[in-house]
Amino acid sequence: MRRHSCCNKQKVKRGLWSPEEDEKLINYISIHGHGSWTSVPKLAGLQRCGKSCRLRWINYLRPGLKRGSFSPQEAALIIELHRILGNRWSQIAKHLPGRTDNEVKNFWHTSLKKKLKSSHALNLPDQQHHIPTPITMLQVDLELQHNNCCPTMVNFPPLIPAVPSDSSSYVTWSPLVGYDHQLGPNQHDIGHPISSEDANPNLIINSQQDQQHHIPTPITMLQVDLELQHNFCCPTMVNFPPLIPAVPSDSSSYVTWSPLVGYDHQLGPNQHDIGHPISSEDANPNLIINSQQDQQHHIPTPITMLQVDLELQHNNCCPTMVNFPPLIPAVPSDSSSYVTWSPLVGYDHQLGPNQHDTSCPIIINPSIKETPYDKPEFAFQNARTQ
DNA sequence: AATGAAACCAACCGCATTAAT
DNA sequence: TATTAATGCGGTTGGTTTCAT
């Protein structure tokens, strides 16, 4: 076996760390900081290589580490994060305060993987019927945390179906069904069947069969997935509104959404509210009301990262809050046009034949950043030949 | 109580990326 | 720009502990 380059140069001890060594390392770092890891063992009086010191500090000695077994919440979080992020242990560990990537990785290999395997075996019928996973709060957590690097990024459905102008009908979205038009009383479905276009694009297509029958959409799931993977900071996760109310056909009006109020119709100039009051049904049920004042005056406030963070800490891992876009551009009532969204382009009105763009500019997402994971070979770069 | 198997986990290794020169 | 060193990450190893027989 080869040695670390830093370990070739000197006699270094290997194997488990003794309490004396730990004490030396703690004392040194607490006084001087680690600085350059290569110089740490020499300055701390340790017969170890810098890499070994770093590992010992990061995985075992540094303050704030949580020892002991993983809670069921942590386990659930890891499973969900792993589903989204794959083997990016350091990324996963960032969502588990006090846990190291090594710890998470070990836990995964020794416990979770087996449990998942056995549970998959038990749930085979469900998989066959392709019942999609609901969007969990964990995804929200992940999204929000990721928004630390992409503060303005909002993930959104790649396709918002045309919304009937009739205010008595509305569109709902659910992870299972995707978008669905809900008819008002005494209404009949006039023919907007739930198609695969409407289905939640965030769902992972598991089988060849599903892929074959996946009717092409302006932005396919695969595209979204690749695009999001490409923009590593906001991985394969799309958050959706639980309810999109009816949108007036008048293009001068638009719909806004805020955590407190939920969706709201904003009227254009010279318009009057024609009677779609903001009801509690429209309000985002998952919002966090931060102050008495806000509650009293019902003033919409944006959810800040701090609030989210506190909420996440407070609830340990599963807050009940969904992050939603602050603005949905006007949706033309004409069913031949539709709105698409992509992380790169933002919202875009797709016009039907013989239509001209009337208003909605393409919103460029300013937060796209190149990362090492952009490279297509990333998925394979760690494939090793040992 | 003895023993082998399985599980666990700290630590190591090699590679990729980043920073410094 | 090229080279080298440092750092970070994910995969793997191997020693220790726990469990089952």
Side-chain angles (χ1 to χ4, degrees):
Chain A
M1 272 189 187
R2 283 159 63 182
R3 289 274 159 274
H4 289 166
S5 55
C6 62
C7 304
N8 291 331
K9 297 169 187 172
Q10 53 188 310
K11 274 187 180 176
V12 292
K13 189 181 168 189
R14 299 176 67 245
L16 296 180
W17 281 62
S18 68
E20 292 75 25
E21 287 177 307
D22 283 345
E23 197 182 339
K24 281 183 181 177
L25 187 59
I26 290 168
N27 287 341
Y28 176 80
I29 291 177
S30 58
I31 294 168
H32 304 97
H34 63 75
S36 167
W37 281 112
T38 47
S39 60
V40 164
K42 189 181 172 185
L43 296 170
L46 291 161
Q47 302 289 319
R48 297 271 180 174
C49 73
K51 211 167 182 175
S52 179
C53 292
R54 176 184 163 271
L55 207 65
R56 182 64 180 171
W57 175 257
I58 287 172
N59 286 339
Y60 201 83
L61 298 176
R62 75 182 152 99
L65 288 181
K66 199 190 284 181
R67 309 304 306 178
S69 55
F70 284 76
S71 69
Q73 288 83 5
E74 286 177 309
L77 189 56
I78 292 167
I79 290 168
E80 188 69 9
L81 285 165
H82 186 270
R83 192 177 65 79
I84 297 163
L85 294 170
N87 293 359
R88 290 172 187 156
W89 304 116
S90 63
Q91 294 294 319
I92 293 171
K94 282 175 186 170
H95 298 276
L96 291 132
R99 301 294 189 182
T100 68
D101 57 350
N102 203 35
E103 207 175 0
V104 171
K105 183 172 55 181
N106 283 335
F107 183 53
W108 174 263
H109 286 304
T110 57
S111 176
L112 293 181
K113 206 160 77 172
K114 290 168 198 165
K115 283 177 185 170
L116 273 181
K117 204 174 176 179
S118 57
S119 81
H120 279 174
L122 290 170
N123 294 329
L124 198 58
D126 277 350
Q127 287 186 318
Q128 284 169 346
H129 289 97
H130 190 55
I131 295 174
T133 321
I135 292 175
T136 65
M137 295 320 301
L138 170 62
Q139 289 173 310
V140 175
D141 174 10
L142 185 69
E143 162 77 352
L144 294 166
Q145 299 264 352
H146 272 288
N147 281 343
N148 278 324
C149 67
C150 303
T152 59
M153 166 91 69
V154 177
N155 287 331
F156 232 64
L159 173 64
I160 299 177
V163 177
S165 58
D166 184 336
S167 66
S168 62
S169 64
Y170 53 92
V171 176
T172 58
W173 179 92
S174 77
L176 189 63
V177 174
Y179 284 104
D180 186 19
H181 286 170
Q182 304 295 318
L183 301 174
N186 306 317
Q187 281 185 302
H188 303 288
D189 193 338
I190 54 169
H192 186 85
I194 298 163
S195 68
S196 61
E197 285 102 324
D198 294 335
N200 178 357
N202 194 35
L203 302 176
I204 296 164
I205 298 167
N206 288 312
S207 68
Q208 201 100 32
Q209 198 185 9
D210 280 347
Q211 291 184 45
Q212 282 167 355
H213 292 94
H214 189 65
I215 298 164
T217 63
I219 298 174
T220 66
M221 177 53 205
L222 181 59
Q223 287 171 315
V224 170
D225 197 40
L226 288 172
E227 195 165 16
L228 292 168
Q229 296 259 6
H230 185 73
N231 301 308
F232 171 65
C233 61
C234 298
T236 55
M237 174 191 39
V238 181
N239 288 327
F240 295 100
L243 170 65
I244 299 180
V247 177
S249 59
D250 185 335
S251 65
S252 62
S253 65
Y254 54 92
V255 177
T256 60
W257 179 94
S258 78
L260 193 62
V261 173
Y263 285 102
D264 186 18
H265 287 170
Q266 304 296 318
L267 301 174
N270 306 318
Q271 283 186 304
H272 304 287
D273 194 334
I274 54 167
H276 186 84
I278 299 161
S279 67
S280 58
E281 286 92 344
D282 291 336
N284 179 352
N286 302 313
L287 58 88
I288 304 166
I289 297 170
N290 289 303
S291 69
Q292 205 89 38
Q293 197 185 9
D294 281 348
Q295 291 182 52
Q296 284 166 357
H297 294 97
H298 199 54
I299 297 166
T301 53
I303 292 175
T304 67
M305 283 315 298
L306 177 59
Q307 290 168 325
V308 167
D309 213 23
L310 288 172
E311 172 75 358
L312 291 168
Q313 304 253 354
H314 184 71
N315 291 329
N316 195 9
C317 68
C318 300
T320 54
M321 177 185 44
V322 178
N323 198 19
F324 274 103
L327 172 63
I328 298 177
V331 179
S333 61
D334 183 335
S335 64
S336 64
S337 64
Y338 51 89
V339 177
T340 60
W341 178 94
S342 83
L344 285 173
V345 174
Y347 283 104
D348 187 17
H349 280 173
Q350 305 294 318
L351 301 174
N354 306 318
Q355 283 185 301
H356 303 287
D357 193 346
T358 53
S359 63
C360 185
I362 293 169
I363 303 161
I364 302 296
N365 183 343
S367 60
I368 305 303
K369 283 196 281 191
E370 280 245 327
T371 78
Y373 304 102
D374 291 344
K375 298 176 184 174
E377 67 269 25
F378 173 73
F380 309 101
Q381 73 185 12
N382 283 319
R384 297 170 53 200
T385 51
Q386 288 206 2

